[in-house]
Amino acid sequence: MKRGTRIIVCGLLAGALAGCGGAEGLDTAALAQMREILSKEPRLPDGFSPRSEQAWQAPFSPADHNCRAVLDAAGGRAPTQGLTAQAAASYEGDELGEQVGVGLARYDGAAGTHMAELSQALKDCREVRAEGGTHLTTTLVPLSDVGDEAVVGELRGRLNGYPYALDVVLARSGDMLVSLVHTSMAEVEPQRTRQLLDAVMRMASP
């Protein structure tokens, strides 16, 4: 598969159906739409590659289940109850270790519930600890004028002993849940994260 089309789309392969809660709940039209959204060249901020990569994976394994739940959503592993379609991709930035991971999940009446659950999980994910000298602390920051509701957390600290920054954003627009992570081995600028979020929300809008 070519580099620019390595998109993980939940449900397009038989082996992925279990992760979507079963084939009977899948919307093939929505799956195709999500694939197109993440395959076409997005209008991301300057410095980001327009070519999509495979779904983002956290470079650490959080011990806390709340932190895992929040980060999993951006990697294409959103909550499965009521899920009808899901897709995930990542895009490389030009800063050291910079990457944005995007997860889209469409639900049949459960998006608001999952948004509330993941928002609470982000609030409860006060710090991330993992093997190898990884320790990040979480700060919640205000976020407005994004979809129907949104929340953002700034994770700052060290990854395997090196400086590391990660912004994680959860947003809901109707029955669509959008999860985004913006990472860097240097500083992550909130303005740049917001620009990325705005671009992704435009991509996800019908």
Side-chain angles (χ1 to χ4, degrees), residues 15 50 172:
R172 182 182 67 84

Side-chain angles (χ1 to χ4, degrees), residues 10-24 26 76 78-81 83 86:
C10 190
L12 293 182
L13 301 176
L17 293 178
C20 290
E24 68 279 359
L26 295 177
T80 58
Q81 183 180 1
L83 184 67
Q86 182 170 201

Side-chain angles (χ1 to χ4, degrees), residues 41-73:
E41 293 189 358
R43 295 181 179 179
L44 297 178
D46 290 343
F48 275 92
S49 170
R51 291 194 173 189
S52 57
E53 297 284 351
Q54 62 188 354
W56 178 80
Q57 291 186 344
F60 50 83
S61 297
D64 184 86
H65 72 278
N66 291 304
C67 301
R68 286 199 305 272
V70 171
L71 297 177
D72 279 353

